[in-house]
Amino acid sequence: MDRPGWHIECSAMTHHVLGDKLDVHTGGVDLRFPHHNNEIALCEAHNYGPQCEHDKEWCKHFVHFGHLYIRGRKMSKSLKNFISVKDFLNDGHTADHFRLICLQFKYRSNLIYSEDRVRDAEVVITRLRCFFRNVMAYGSNRDICSSDTKIKGIKSKRCEKQDLEVLDALFTTQAQVDEGLLDDLDTPRALSLVLNLISRGNTYLLAHRGDDQAPEEVLIALTSYVLEVLDLFGLEGLHAEFSAMMRRRFTVSVKKQQLNERDELVSRDEQEALLYSLIKFRAAVREEALRDLNQSGNMRILALCDTLRNEELPQLGIQVEDLAPGSSVFKLLSLEEREAVRRVESDEQEIKTDGEAALELRNKQQELEMLMQIAPSDLFRKSPEFADRFNMFDTNGFPTLENGEPIKKSQRKKLAKKLAKYEKSYMKYWKTRDNGQ
């Protein structure tokens, strides 16, 4: 039952700080037994004494989290295989990257950290950014260089079939996300549903390209719900970024509706003067950052300059070329040139996607090869899926104790099926390898 000291300490602290009753008590899965069992016994004995009964509970709910693994082993200070939050952020990642990694695992499961998982989080962020940028760009296809273009309000209209289908998909997703979160906080399912909705939204926007009569209400409903989910998941950075984009997007639409059609746009000369000032400022900032790449923050400044050049300005039909530190030029692209750039970027993205798929396949193959190094008799001892889960094994390597308690008959059957399946895969793998040699 372990030494009682730390059980008593935790029990005393919870009573002192939180009182005699708790609604939710959290902790790692390894604390389920004996620590939490001892806490329950101590606290309920303290609260109720000899009158303690089953219906008199000290804590209503216990929530146990899985462990964090890296390279097949549990991350811990003793093994010195941990990554600090500071190091994670210094590598160019954000808090939202890690939150997205966590959201892709159920909280009860062990979380396996790897560069693949970080890339998965980056892919999710990219998909979110693409969606909100598509919303920003939608209805803004006019040539910004044209000095005689009039500002026209974006008018609402009656929803047609495809509009209603998207709204129906939105309502269905909302219900399914709620259902998933109510089902033991199934965040992987909820996140997947939202990403599917985003894909549906992108398809909808593509179908409406060039149609300035599409209803704004549909876009507002879609973006509002996605922002709501980001806020719910604690993705603060992404929520702030996309909220600001949507405020600009829809505030501009309202202002456009209030303008008279006779109001003129800023002249071409004024546009170019403004752009010249922006490009000159960017070039000066970039030159200053290039003076000392080792200085803290300069790499981040350069990355922001690149984002402005490669992502933000091209969407507005502005192409920037850096000639040398402190010297940059820009060009206003026609609609035809902008479409040509989009096609090139689309082709490059397809090539990149194919490369990423090949890399993912290689990574999965490597993971399989590593797993197949574990003999079936060692599966429950050495496999990352079962690491540190069982306390005792029989002579064949089959677990007999889990968290200090005998394994139930139903659990033994499940484990036996897993073992049989693994043995089959193991034999097939090595037979194929031997034949190949």
Side-chain angles (χ1 to χ4, degrees), residues 115-174:
E115 288 303 315
D116 287 344
R117 301 288 79 79
V118 177
R119 282 192 289 270
D120 289 343
E122 185 61 44
V123 168
V124 173
I125 292 175
T126 300
R127 290 180 64 181
L128 288 166
R129 282 207 174 101
C130 286
F131 169 68
F132 281 100
R133 284 173 180 167
N134 286 341
V135 175
M136 285 288 290
Y138 175 73
S140 305
N141 292 327
R142 58 181 176 78
D143 187 353
I144 67 167
C145 305
S146 177
S147 61
D148 59 352
T149 304
K150 309 290 184 179
I151 295 181
K152 295 182 179 180
I154 298 178
K155 300 177 182 179
S156 180
K157 69 164 190 174
R158 179 181 297 176
C159 287
E160 298 179 354
K161 181 180 178 181
Q162 58 183 342
D163 307 319
L164 295 174
E165 288 175 349
V166 170
L167 289 175
D168 183 61
L170 169 62
F171 300 145
T172 301
T173 299
Q174 288 177 314

Short mmCIF file of all heavy atoms in Angstrom, two decimals, residues 115-174:
data_model
loop_
_atom_site.label_atom_id
_atom_site.label_comp_id
_atom_site.label_asym_id
_atom_site.label_seq_id
_atom_site.Cartn_x
_atom_site.Cartn_y
_atom_site.Cartn_z
N GLU A 115 8.18 14.46 -33.63
CA GLU A 115 8.13 15.51 -34.64
C GLU A 115 6.95 15.32 -35.58
O GLU A 115 6.42 16.28 -36.13
CB GLU A 115 9.45 15.54 -35.42
CG GLU A 115 10.63 16.09 -34.62
CD GLU A 115 10.36 17.50 -34.10
OE1 GLU A 115 9.85 18.34 -34.87
OE2 GLU A 115 10.64 17.76 -32.92
N ASP A 116 6.56 14.05 -35.78
CA ASP A 116 5.38 13.79 -36.62
C ASP A 116 4.13 14.43 -36.01
O ASP A 116 3.30 14.99 -36.73
CB ASP A 116 5.15 12.28 -36.77
CG ASP A 116 6.18 11.64 -37.68
OD1 ASP A 116 6.85 12.39 -38.42
OD2 ASP A 116 6.32 10.41 -37.66
N ARG A 117 4.01 14.32 -34.69
CA ARG A 117 2.84 14.90 -34.03
C ARG A 117 2.87 16.43 -34.13
O ARG A 117 1.83 17.07 -34.27
CB ARG A 117 2.80 14.48 -32.56
CG ARG A 117 2.75 12.99 -32.32
CD ARG A 117 1.40 12.38 -32.68
NE ARG A 117 1.22 12.17 -34.11
CZ ARG A 117 1.75 11.14 -34.78
NH1 ARG A 117 2.47 10.25 -34.16
NH2 ARG A 117 1.53 11.02 -36.08
N VAL A 118 4.07 17.00 -34.04
CA VAL A 118 4.19 18.46 -34.19
C VAL A 118 3.79 18.87 -35.60
O VAL A 118 3.08 19.87 -35.81
CB VAL A 118 5.63 18.93 -33.89
CG1 VAL A 118 5.76 20.43 -34.11
CG2 VAL A 118 6.01 18.58 -32.45
N ARG A 119 4.23 18.08 -36.59
CA ARG A 119 3.85 18.38 -37.98
C ARG A 119 2.34 18.23 -38.18
O ARG A 119 1.73 19.00 -38.92
CB ARG A 119 4.62 17.47 -38.94
CG ARG A 119 6.05 17.91 -39.18
CD ARG A 119 6.66 17.17 -40.36
NE ARG A 119 6.91 15.78 -40.04
CZ ARG A 119 8.06 15.33 -39.53
NH1 ARG A 119 9.03 16.17 -39.28
NH2 ARG A 119 8.21 14.04 -39.27
N ASP A 120 1.76 17.24 -37.51
CA ASP A 120 0.30 17.09 -37.60
C ASP A 120 -0.40 18.34 -37.08
O ASP A 120 -1.40 18.81 -37.65
CB ASP A 120 -0.16 15.87 -36.80
CG ASP A 120 0.25 14.56 -37.45
OD1 ASP A 120 0.59 14.58 -38.65
OD2 ASP A 120 0.23 13.52 -36.76
N ALA A 121 0.11 18.87 -35.97
CA ALA A 121 -0.47 20.10 -35.41
C ALA A 121 -0.31 21.26 -36.38
O ALA A 121 -1.23 22.07 -36.56
CB ALA A 121 0.18 20.43 -34.07
N GLU A 122 0.85 21.33 -37.03
CA GLU A 122 1.09 22.41 -37.99
C GLU A 122 0.15 22.29 -39.19
O GLU A 122 -0.32 23.30 -39.73
CB GLU A 122 2.55 22.37 -38.46
CG GLU A 122 2.95 23.51 -39.37
CD GLU A 122 2.79 24.87 -38.71
OE1 GLU A 122 3.18 25.01 -37.53
OE2 GLU A 122 2.25 25.78 -39.36
N VAL A 123 -0.12 21.05 -39.60
CA VAL A 123 -1.07 20.84 -40.71
C VAL A 123 -2.46 21.35 -40.33
O VAL A 123 -3.15 21.98 -41.14
CB VAL A 123 -1.12 19.34 -41.08
CG1 VAL A 123 -2.30 19.06 -42.02
CG2 VAL A 123 0.17 18.91 -41.76
N VAL A 124 -2.87 21.08 -39.09
CA VAL A 124 -4.18 21.56 -38.64
C VAL A 124 -4.22 23.09 -38.66
O VAL A 124 -5.19 23.70 -39.12
CB VAL A 124 -4.49 21.04 -37.22
CG1 VAL A 124 -5.76 21.68 -36.67
CG2 VAL A 124 -4.64 19.52 -37.24
N ILE A 125 -3.15 23.71 -38.17
CA ILE A 125 -3.08 25.18 -38.16
C ILE A 125 -3.14 25.72 -39.58
O ILE A 125 -3.83 26.71 -39.86
CB ILE A 125 -1.81 25.66 -37.43
CG1 ILE A 125 -1.91 25.32 -35.94
CG2 ILE A 125 -1.60 27.15 -37.63
CD1 ILE A 125 -0.64 25.64 -35.16
N THR A 126 -2.43 25.07 -40.49
CA THR A 126 -2.43 25.51 -41.89
C THR A 126 -3.83 25.40 -42.48
O THR A 126 -4.28 26.31 -43.20
CB THR A 126 -1.45 24.65 -42.71
OG1 THR A 126 -0.13 24.81 -42.17
CG2 THR A 126 -1.45 25.08 -44.17
N ARG A 127 -4.53 24.32 -42.18
CA ARG A 127 -5.89 24.16 -42.70
C ARG A 127 -6.81 25.25 -42.16
O ARG A 127 -7.66 25.79 -42.88
CB ARG A 127 -6.43 22.77 -42.34
CG ARG A 127 -5.75 21.64 -43.09
CD ARG A 127 -6.32 20.30 -42.71
NE ARG A 127 -7.73 20.17 -43.09
CZ ARG A 127 -8.46 19.08 -42.85
NH1 ARG A 127 -7.91 18.04 -42.22
NH2 ARG A 127 -9.72 19.02 -43.22
N LEU A 128 -6.65 25.57 -40.88
CA LEU A 128 -7.47 26.63 -40.29
C LEU A 128 -7.17 27.97 -40.95
O LEU A 128 -8.08 28.73 -41.29
CB LEU A 128 -7.21 26.71 -38.79
CG LEU A 128 -7.77 25.57 -37.93
CD1 LEU A 128 -7.16 25.58 -36.54
CD2 LEU A 128 -9.29 25.68 -37.83
N ARG A 129 -5.87 28.26 -41.14
CA ARG A 129 -5.50 29.54 -41.75
C ARG A 129 -6.02 29.63 -43.19
O ARG A 129 -6.50 30.69 -43.61
CB ARG A 129 -3.97 29.70 -41.75
CG ARG A 129 -3.41 30.10 -40.41
CD ARG A 129 -2.10 30.86 -40.54
NE ARG A 129 -1.67 31.33 -39.23
CZ ARG A 129 -0.74 30.74 -38.50
NH1 ARG A 129 -0.13 29.66 -38.95
NH2 ARG A 129 -0.41 31.22 -37.31
N CYS A 130 -5.91 28.54 -43.92
CA CYS A 130 -6.40 28.55 -45.30
C CYS A 130 -7.90 28.84 -45.34
O CYS A 130 -8.37 29.61 -46.20
CB CYS A 130 -6.11 27.20 -45.97
SG CYS A 130 -4.38 26.95 -46.40
N PHE A 131 -8.63 28.25 -44.42
CA PHE A 131 -10.08 28.46 -44.40
C PHE A 131 -10.41 29.93 -44.14
O PHE A 131 -11.19 30.56 -44.87
CB PHE A 131 -10.72 27.58 -43.32
CG PHE A 131 -12.17 27.91 -43.05
CD1 PHE A 131 -13.14 27.68 -44.00
CD2 PHE A 131 -12.54 28.47 -41.84
CE1 PHE A 131 -14.47 27.99 -43.75
CE2 PHE A 131 -13.87 28.79 -41.58
CZ PHE A 131 -14.83 28.54 -42.54
N PHE A 132 -9.80 30.51 -43.11
CA PHE A 132 -10.12 31.89 -42.77
C PHE A 132 -9.60 32.86 -43.84
O PHE A 132 -10.22 33.90 -44.09
CB PHE A 132 -9.57 32.24 -41.39
CG PHE A 132 -10.42 31.71 -40.27
CD1 PHE A 132 -10.07 30.56 -39.59
CD2 PHE A 132 -11.59 32.36 -39.90
CE1 PHE A 132 -10.87 30.06 -38.57
CE2 PHE A 132 -12.39 31.88 -38.88
CZ PHE A 132 -12.03 30.72 -38.21
N ARG A 133 -8.48 32.52 -44.46
CA ARG A 133 -8.00 33.37 -45.55
C ARG A 133 -8.92 33.27 -46.76
O ARG A 133 -9.11 34.27 -47.48
CB ARG A 133 -6.57 32.98 -45.92
CG ARG A 133 -5.55 33.48 -44.90
CD ARG A 133 -4.17 32.95 -45.17
NE ARG A 133 -3.22 33.45 -44.18
CZ ARG A 133 -2.01 32.98 -44.01
NH1 ARG A 133 -1.58 31.97 -44.75
NH2 ARG A 133 -1.20 33.49 -43.09
N ASN A 134 -9.47 32.10 -46.99
CA ASN A 134 -10.43 31.96 -48.08
C ASN A 134 -11.67 32.82 -47.82
O ASN A 134 -12.22 33.44 -48.73
CB ASN A 134 -10.84 30.50 -48.24
CG ASN A 134 -9.75 29.66 -48.88
OD1 ASN A 134 -8.85 30.20 -49.51
ND2 ASN A 134 -9.82 28.36 -48.69
N VAL A 135 -12.09 32.85 -46.56
CA VAL A 135 -13.24 33.70 -46.21
C VAL A 135 -12.88 35.17 -46.41
O VAL A 135 -13.68 35.96 -46.92
CB VAL A 135 -13.68 33.44 -44.76
CG1 VAL A 135 -14.80 34.41 -44.36
CG2 VAL A 135 -14.17 32.00 -44.59
N MET A 136 -11.65 35.52 -46.01
CA MET A 136 -11.20 36.91 -46.20
C MET A 136 -11.18 37.28 -47.68
O MET A 136 -11.59 38.38 -48.07
CB MET A 136 -9.80 37.09 -45.61
CG MET A 136 -9.74 37.16 -44.11
SD MET A 136 -10.39 38.70 -43.44
CE MET A 136 -9.14 39.86 -43.95
N ALA A 137 -10.69 36.36 -48.50
CA ALA A 137 -10.53 36.65 -49.93
C ALA A 137 -11.85 36.59 -50.67
O ALA A 137 -12.00 37.20 -51.73
CB ALA A 137 -9.55 35.67 -50.55
N TYR A 138 -12.82 35.86 -50.14
CA TYR A 138 -14.09 35.68 -50.85
C TYR A 138 -14.80 37.02 -51.03
O TYR A 138 -14.94 37.80 -50.10
CB TYR A 138 -15.00 34.73 -50.08
CG TYR A 138 -16.37 34.62 -50.71
CD1 TYR A 138 -16.55 33.91 -51.88
CD2 TYR A 138 -17.46 35.26 -50.14
CE1 TYR A 138 -17.79 33.83 -52.47
CE2 TYR A 138 -18.71 35.18 -50.71
CZ TYR A 138 -18.86 34.47 -51.88
OH TYR A 138 -20.09 34.39 -52.47
N GLY A 139 -15.23 37.27 -52.23
CA GLY A 139 -15.94 38.52 -52.51
C GLY A 139 -15.01 39.69 -52.69
O GLY A 139 -15.46 40.82 -52.84
N SER A 140 -13.67 39.41 -52.68
CA SER A 140 -12.71 40.51 -52.82
C SER A 140 -11.85 40.30 -54.06
O SER A 140 -10.65 40.49 -54.04
CB SER A 140 -11.81 40.57 -51.58
OG SER A 140 -12.58 40.69 -50.42
N ASN A 141 -12.46 39.85 -55.13
CA ASN A 141 -11.71 39.52 -56.34
C ASN A 141 -11.49 40.70 -57.27
O ASN A 141 -10.92 40.54 -58.34
CB ASN A 141 -12.44 38.41 -57.12
CG ASN A 141 -12.42 37.10 -56.36
OD1 ASN A 141 -11.47 36.83 -55.65
ND2 ASN A 141 -13.47 36.32 -56.49
N ARG A 142 -11.96 41.87 -56.91
CA ARG A 142 -11.76 43.01 -57.79
C ARG A 142 -10.28 43.40 -57.81
O ARG A 142 -9.55 43.18 -56.85
CB ARG A 142 -12.60 44.20 -57.33
CG ARG A 142 -12.29 44.64 -55.92
CD ARG A 142 -13.16 45.81 -55.51
NE ARG A 142 -12.93 46.16 -54.13
CZ ARG A 142 -11.89 46.85 -53.69
NH1 ARG A 142 -10.97 47.24 -54.53
NH2 ARG A 142 -11.76 47.14 -52.42
N ASP A 143 -9.84 43.99 -58.90
CA ASP A 143 -8.44 44.40 -59.06
C ASP A 143 -8.18 45.65 -58.22
O ASP A 143 -8.78 46.70 -58.46
CB ASP A 143 -8.17 44.68 -60.54
CG ASP A 143 -6.70 44.95 -60.80
OD1 ASP A 143 -5.92 45.03 -59.84
OD2 ASP A 143 -6.35 45.07 -61.98
N ILE A 144 -7.29 45.58 -57.26
CA ILE A 144 -7.05 46.74 -56.39
C ILE A 144 -6.35 47.86 -57.14
O ILE A 144 -6.29 48.98 -56.65
CB ILE A 144 -6.20 46.35 -55.17
CG1 ILE A 144 -4.78 45.96 -55.60
CG2 ILE A 144 -6.83 45.26 -54.38
CD1 ILE A 144 -3.81 45.87 -54.46
N CYS A 145 -5.80 47.56 -58.33
CA CYS A 145 -5.07 48.59 -59.07
C CYS A 145 -5.99 49.47 -59.89
O CYS A 145 -5.56 50.46 -60.45
CB CYS A 145 -4.05 47.93 -59.99
SG CYS A 145 -2.93 46.82 -59.13
N SER A 146 -7.23 49.08 -60.03
CA SER A 146 -8.13 49.82 -60.90
C SER A 146 -8.66 51.04 -60.18
O SER A 146 -9.34 50.95 -59.18
CB SER A 146 -9.31 48.91 -61.32
OG SER A 146 -10.22 49.63 -62.09
N SER A 147 -8.33 52.22 -60.72
CA SER A 147 -8.70 53.46 -60.03
C SER A 147 -10.15 53.84 -60.25
O SER A 147 -10.67 54.70 -59.56
CB SER A 147 -7.80 54.60 -60.51
OG SER A 147 -7.96 54.78 -61.91
N ASP A 148 -10.82 53.22 -61.24
CA ASP A 148 -12.20 53.61 -61.50
C ASP A 148 -13.20 52.59 -60.98
O ASP A 148 -14.36 52.62 -61.32
CB ASP A 148 -12.42 53.81 -63.01
CG ASP A 148 -12.10 52.54 -63.80
OD1 ASP A 148 -11.57 51.60 -63.18
OD2 ASP A 148 -12.37 52.53 -65.00
N THR A 149 -12.72 51.66 -60.13
CA THR A 149 -13.61 50.66 -59.55
C THR A 149 -14.45 51.29 -58.45
O THR A 149 -13.95 52.06 -57.64
CB THR A 149 -12.80 49.48 -58.97
OG1 THR A 149 -11.98 48.96 -59.99
CG2 THR A 149 -13.72 48.40 -58.45
N LYS A 150 -15.72 50.95 -58.41
CA LYS A 150 -16.61 51.48 -57.38
C LYS A 150 -16.74 50.47 -56.24
O LYS A 150 -16.67 49.27 -56.46
CB LYS A 150 -18.00 51.73 -57.97
CG LYS A 150 -17.99 52.57 -59.24
CD LYS A 150 -17.61 53.99 -58.99
CE LYS A 150 -17.71 54.83 -60.26
NZ LYS A 150 -17.36 56.22 -60.05
N ILE A 151 -16.94 50.95 -55.05
CA ILE A 151 -17.21 50.06 -53.92
C ILE A 151 -18.68 49.69 -53.94
O ILE A 151 -19.55 50.55 -53.98
CB ILE A 151 -16.87 50.74 -52.59
CG1 ILE A 151 -15.38 51.01 -52.51
CG2 ILE A 151 -17.31 49.90 -51.42
CD1 ILE A 151 -14.95 51.67 -51.23
N LYS A 152 -18.93 48.41 -53.93
CA LYS A 152 -20.32 47.94 -53.94
C LYS A 152 -20.59 47.13 -52.69
O LYS A 152 -19.78 46.29 -52.30
CB LYS A 152 -20.58 47.09 -55.18
CG LYS A 152 -20.47 47.88 -56.48
CD LYS A 152 -20.80 47.02 -57.68
CE LYS A 152 -20.71 47.82 -58.97
NZ LYS A 152 -21.02 46.99 -60.16
N GLY A 153 -21.72 47.35 -52.07
CA GLY A 153 -22.09 46.60 -50.88
C GLY A 153 -22.38 45.16 -51.21
O GLY A 153 -22.89 44.85 -52.28
N ILE A 154 -22.02 44.28 -50.30
CA ILE A 154 -22.33 42.86 -50.48
C ILE A 154 -23.72 42.62 -49.93
O ILE A 154 -23.96 42.77 -48.74
CB ILE A 154 -21.30 41.99 -49.75
CG1 ILE A 154 -19.92 42.23 -50.35
CG2 ILE A 154 -21.67 40.52 -49.85
CD1 ILE A 154 -18.82 41.45 -49.67
N LYS A 155 -24.62 42.26 -50.80
CA LYS A 155 -26.02 42.14 -50.40
C LYS A 155 -26.35 40.72 -49.98
O LYS A 155 -25.84 39.77 -50.53
CB LYS A 155 -26.91 42.56 -51.56
CG LYS A 155 -26.68 44.01 -52.01
CD LYS A 155 -27.54 44.34 -53.20
CE LYS A 155 -27.29 45.77 -53.68
NZ LYS A 155 -28.09 46.10 -54.86
N SER A 156 -27.23 40.62 -49.03
CA SER A 156 -27.72 39.32 -48.63
C SER A 156 -28.76 38.85 -49.64
O SER A 156 -29.29 39.63 -50.42
CB SER A 156 -28.33 39.40 -47.24
OG SER A 156 -28.81 38.14 -46.84
N LYS A 157 -29.03 37.55 -49.64
CA LYS A 157 -30.04 37.02 -50.55
C LYS A 157 -30.66 35.80 -49.92
O LYS A 157 -30.19 35.28 -48.90
CB LYS A 157 -29.42 36.67 -51.90
CG LYS A 157 -28.48 35.48 -51.83
CD LYS A 157 -28.18 34.93 -53.21
CE LYS A 157 -27.44 33.61 -53.10
NZ LYS A 157 -27.25 32.95 -54.38
N ARG A 158 -31.71 35.31 -50.53
CA ARG A 158 -32.35 34.11 -50.03
C ARG A 158 -31.41 32.92 -50.21
O ARG A 158 -30.77 32.77 -51.24
CB ARG A 158 -33.65 33.87 -50.79
CG ARG A 158 -34.39 32.61 -50.34
CD ARG A 158 -35.65 32.41 -51.13
NE ARG A 158 -36.59 33.50 -50.90
CZ ARG A 158 -37.75 33.61 -51.53
NH1 ARG A 158 -38.10 32.71 -52.43
NH2 ARG A 158 -38.55 34.62 -51.28
N CYS A 159 -31.34 32.08 -49.20
CA CYS A 159 -30.46 30.91 -49.28
C CYS A 159 -30.97 29.93 -50.32
O CYS A 159 -32.16 29.60 -50.35
CB CYS A 159 -30.37 30.22 -47.91
SG CYS A 159 -29.40 31.13 -46.70
N GLU A 160 -30.06 29.46 -51.15
CA GLU A 160 -30.38 28.45 -52.14
C GLU A 160 -30.00 27.07 -51.61
O GLU A 160 -29.56 26.93 -50.47
CB GLU A 160 -29.67 28.77 -53.45
CG GLU A 160 -30.11 30.10 -54.04
CD GLU A 160 -29.38 30.43 -55.33
OE1 GLU A 160 -28.45 29.67 -55.70
OE2 GLU A 160 -29.72 31.45 -55.96
N LYS A 161 -30.14 26.07 -52.47
CA LYS A 161 -29.95 24.69 -52.03
C LYS A 161 -28.56 24.46 -51.44
O LYS A 161 -28.42 23.89 -50.35
CB LYS A 161 -30.18 23.73 -53.20
CG LYS A 161 -30.03 22.27 -52.82
CD LYS A 161 -30.27 21.35 -54.01
CE LYS A 161 -30.08 19.89 -53.60
NZ LYS A 161 -30.28 18.97 -54.75
N GLN A 162 -27.51 24.91 -52.14
CA GLN A 162 -26.16 24.66 -51.65
C GLN A 162 -25.88 25.43 -50.35
O GLN A 162 -25.12 24.96 -49.50
CB GLN A 162 -25.12 25.02 -52.71
CG GLN A 162 -25.17 26.47 -53.18
CD GLN A 162 -24.17 26.72 -54.28
OE1 GLN A 162 -23.23 25.96 -54.48
NE2 GLN A 162 -24.36 27.80 -55.03
N ASP A 163 -26.51 26.59 -50.19
CA ASP A 163 -26.36 27.33 -48.94
C ASP A 163 -27.00 26.57 -47.78
O ASP A 163 -26.42 26.46 -46.69
CB ASP A 163 -27.00 28.72 -49.06
CG ASP A 163 -26.48 29.48 -50.26
OD1 ASP A 163 -25.27 29.42 -50.51
OD2 ASP A 163 -27.29 30.12 -50.95
N LEU A 164 -28.19 26.05 -48.03
CA LEU A 164 -28.89 25.29 -46.99
C LEU A 164 -28.15 24.00 -46.65
O LEU A 164 -28.15 23.56 -45.49
CB LEU A 164 -30.32 24.98 -47.45
CG LEU A 164 -31.23 26.20 -47.64
CD1 LEU A 164 -32.57 25.77 -48.23
CD2 LEU A 164 -31.45 26.92 -46.31
N GLU A 165 -27.52 23.40 -47.65
CA GLU A 165 -26.76 22.17 -47.39
C GLU A 165 -25.58 22.44 -46.47
O GLU A 165 -25.27 21.64 -45.58
CB GLU A 165 -26.28 21.57 -48.72
CG GLU A 165 -27.39 20.94 -49.55
CD GLU A 165 -26.89 20.46 -50.91
OE1 GLU A 165 -25.75 20.82 -51.28
OE2 GLU A 165 -27.64 19.75 -51.60
N VAL A 166 -24.91 23.57 -46.68
CA VAL A 166 -23.78 23.92 -45.81
C VAL A 166 -24.27 24.21 -44.39
O VAL A 166 -23.65 23.79 -43.41
CB VAL A 166 -23.02 25.14 -46.38
CG1 VAL A 166 -22.00 25.66 -45.38
CG2 VAL A 166 -22.32 24.76 -47.67
N LEU A 167 -25.37 24.92 -44.28
CA LEU A 167 -25.92 25.20 -42.95
C LEU A 167 -26.35 23.91 -42.26
O LEU A 167 -26.16 23.75 -41.04
CB LEU A 167 -27.12 26.16 -43.07
CG LEU A 167 -26.77 27.60 -43.43
CD1 LEU A 167 -28.04 28.41 -43.65
CD2 LEU A 167 -25.91 28.25 -42.36
N ASP A 168 -26.91 22.98 -43.03
CA ASP A 168 -27.29 21.69 -42.45
C ASP A 168 -26.06 20.94 -41.96
O ASP A 168 -26.08 20.32 -40.89
CB ASP A 168 -28.03 20.86 -43.50
CG ASP A 168 -28.52 19.54 -42.94
OD1 ASP A 168 -29.34 19.56 -41.99
OD2 ASP A 168 -28.09 18.48 -43.44
N ALA A 169 -24.97 21.00 -42.75
CA ALA A 169 -23.71 20.37 -42.32
C ALA A 169 -23.19 21.01 -41.05
O ALA A 169 -22.66 20.33 -40.16
CB ALA A 169 -22.67 20.47 -43.44
N LEU A 170 -23.34 22.33 -40.95
CA LEU A 170 -22.92 23.05 -39.74
C LEU A 170 -23.70 22.57 -38.52
O LEU A 170 -23.11 22.25 -37.48
CB LEU A 170 -23.11 24.55 -39.95
CG LEU A 170 -22.97 25.44 -38.70
CD1 LEU A 170 -21.57 25.32 -38.11
CD2 LEU A 170 -23.30 26.88 -39.03
N PHE A 171 -25.02 22.51 -38.65
CA PHE A 171 -25.85 22.10 -37.51
C PHE A 171 -25.56 20.65 -37.11
O PHE A 171 -25.53 20.31 -35.92
CB PHE A 171 -27.33 22.27 -37.84
CG PHE A 171 -27.71 23.69 -38.18
CD1 PHE A 171 -28.67 23.97 -39.13
CD2 PHE A 171 -27.07 24.76 -37.55
CE1 PHE A 171 -29.01 25.28 -39.45
CE2 PHE A 171 -27.40 26.07 -37.86
CZ PHE A 171 -28.37 26.33 -38.82
N THR A 172 -25.35 19.80 -38.12
CA THR A 172 -25.02 18.40 -37.84
C THR A 172 -23.69 18.30 -37.10
O THR A 172 -23.55 17.54 -36.13
CB THR A 172 -24.95 17.59 -39.15
OG1 THR A 172 -26.21 17.68 -39.82
CG2 THR A 172 -24.63 16.13 -38.86
N THR A 173 -22.71 19.08 -37.56
CA THR A 173 -21.39 19.07 -36.91
C THR A 173 -21.50 19.55 -35.47
O THR A 173 -20.88 18.97 -34.56
CB THR A 173 -20.41 19.96 -37.69
OG1 THR A 173 -20.27 19.46 -39.01
CG2 THR A 173 -19.05 19.99 -37.00
N GLN A 174 -22.27 20.60 -35.24
CA GLN A 174 -22.44 21.10 -33.88
C GLN A 174 -22.98 20.01 -32.96
O GLN A 174 -22.48 19.82 -31.84
CB GLN A 174 -23.39 22.30 -33.88
CG GLN A 174 -22.79 23.56 -34.48
CD GLN A 174 -23.80 24.70 -34.53
OE1 GLN A 174 -24.94 24.51 -34.95
NE2 GLN A 174 -23.38 25.88 -34.14
#
